Amino acid sequence: MKGVATRSEGTVRLGPGTLYGALKRLLEAGLVEERGERAAPDRGDERRRYYRLTQLGLSVARAEARRLDAMVRAARRKKLIGERPA
Amino acid sequence: MSAERIYELLLRAYPPDFRAEYGREMVLLFRDQCRESDVRTVGFWAAVIWDVARSAPALRAEAWCTRGRESTRTIEVIMKLAAMLTVLVGVFGILNAMVEWGAALTGTIGGVHALALVLGVCASALLLGAGAAILRGTGGRQAARLALFASLVTIVAARLLFPWMSVFSQLVGIGLPIALLIGLYWPRRASPAGAA
């Protein structure tokens, strides 16, 4: 949740309900899977579960990133947004 | 009442299965949020309530849809069992009418009695056809409906002609087509199994 807030510069704030609702849908779609390992006690609460992208999830994420990149380039060509910073 | 206890009460807005699966992690995350924020501020609780209000109804709706799909499968299984029963009832109805006809021939059989027996055989044959059509799958549903309507009309006509028809025959002859028609007209989504 903190990572999302940082990367989005505070514009996207996830709560536990939104996060786990999205996680449930991603699991059902086969885009993420549970890692099966539990956290070491020195890393925090050992009851936490960890998830990772599946191969399908990685392919979908890359396809979505390419789609968004194409949209941003089209918006720049039409001067709807500024030039890419150096 | 502690902040964590309040959050555990708010979690009741989520479906029970979701709470069982993720409730523990959600409380752990909330505990982290409490450590990093001031739980005494209105803004903190506004964000918490907003998160629950935004996510819980959608998850409830998804759980309800999932239950709806499961009940559709249940109805289809029941329809298949009812169709098998209908086929058996149809066969026994025809056999029973033939036996009754044979027994009646040892004496004299009135025209009305004979007509009632013929209608009974027709109704049984229509029930048998309807059951077979339901077992065929979604393609036979319309034919099954027509056969059931026809069977219902036929058995009512037989009952009117022959008031001494047994109560059991009337219950089965009228009740079974009505129950099957309700099942056939019950709104449901297409099942991947392609059942009735």
Side-chain angles (χ1 to χ4, degrees):
Chain A
M1 281 159 48
K2 277 196 293 187
V4 167
T6 304
R7 282 186 216 111
S8 67
E9 296 171 0
T11 53
V12 179
R13 292 196 170 271
L14 290 181
T18 313
L19 174 65
Y20 280 98
L23 197 55
K24 173 181 170 289
R25 293 183 193 102
L26 290 170
L27 280 165
E28 285 171 355
L31 301 177
V32 300
E33 60 189 1
E34 197 173 335
R35 275 171 66 173
E37 69 207 45
R38 293 295 186 260
D42 61 338
R43 287 174 63 186
D45 196 309
E46 61 190 12
R47 292 172 295 172
R48 291 184 194 274
R49 295 189 293 192
Y50 291 82
Y51 302 88
R52 65 182 166 203
L53 273 181
T54 58
Q55 204 54 42
L56 174 64
L58 188 57
S59 304
V60 168
R62 283 178 175 152
E64 179 65 5
R66 281 195 294 270
R67 186 184 73 86
L68 292 170
D69 184 52
M71 283 175 65
V72 168
R73 279 189 271 117
R76 284 207 177 98
R77 278 197 298 274
K78 292 189 182 301
K79 300 194 191 312
L80 293 171
I81 55 176
E83 294 296 320
R84 185 194 293 268
Chain B
M1 192 183 283
S2 69
E4 199 170 302
R5 182 72 188 118
I6 294 172
Y7 189 68
E8 283 170 358
L9 288 173
L10 286 173
L11 283 185
R12 291 187 168 275
Y14 294 95
D17 290 348
F18 183 83
R19 275 203 315 271
E21 185 69 26
Y22 301 110
R24 194 172 55 191
E25 277 87 0
M26 291 170 74
V27 170
L28 290 175
L29 261 181
F30 178 77
R31 208 182 281 171
D32 291 344
Q33 283 182 309
C34 291
R35 273 197 288 268
E36 291 159 9
S37 309
D38 187 352
V39 301
R40 294 167 298 179
T41 61
V42 171
F44 175 82
W45 286 105
V48 168
I49 290 168
W50 173 241
D51 178 53
V52 173
R54 194 169 53 163
S55 53
L59 288 163
R60 284 267 176 190
E62 282 173 28
W64 188 80
C65 286
T66 304
R67 270 201 305 275
R69 280 195 293 273
E70 285 165 0
S71 75
T72 294
R73 280 195 288 271
T74 303
I75 289 170
E76 286 166 356
V77 167
I78 291 172
M79 283 300 294
K80 279 220 182 299
L81 291 171
M84 288 180 212
L85 178 68
T86 304
V87 167
L88 284 172
V89 166
V91 168
F92 283 125
I94 293 170
L95 290 174
N96 182 59
M98 286 166 62
V99 165
E100 218 175 295
W101 185 279
L105 284 177
T106 58
T108 53
I109 181 169
V112 171
H113 190 182
L115 183 58
L117 281 176
V118 169
L119 287 174
V121 169
C122 291
S124 298
L126 286 164
L127 270 183
L128 196 159
I134 292 170
L135 288 170
R136 255 191 68 210
T138 49
R141 194 182 292 180
Q142 191 57 24
R145 285 187 190 127
L146 290 171
L148 287 168
F149 274 121
S151 168
L152 200 53
V153 167
T154 311
I155 202 70
V156 167
R159 166 65 180 82
L160 291 171
L161 280 173
F162 195 71
W164 300 277
M165 188 186 285
S166 72
V167 173
F168 180 75
S169 298
Q170 291 175 63
L171 275 173
V172 171
I174 295 171
L176 191 55
I178 290 174
L180 285 170
L181 282 167
I182 291 171
L184 284 172
Y185 279 106
W186 193 269
R188 56 183 182 268
R189 293 188 192 129
S191 160

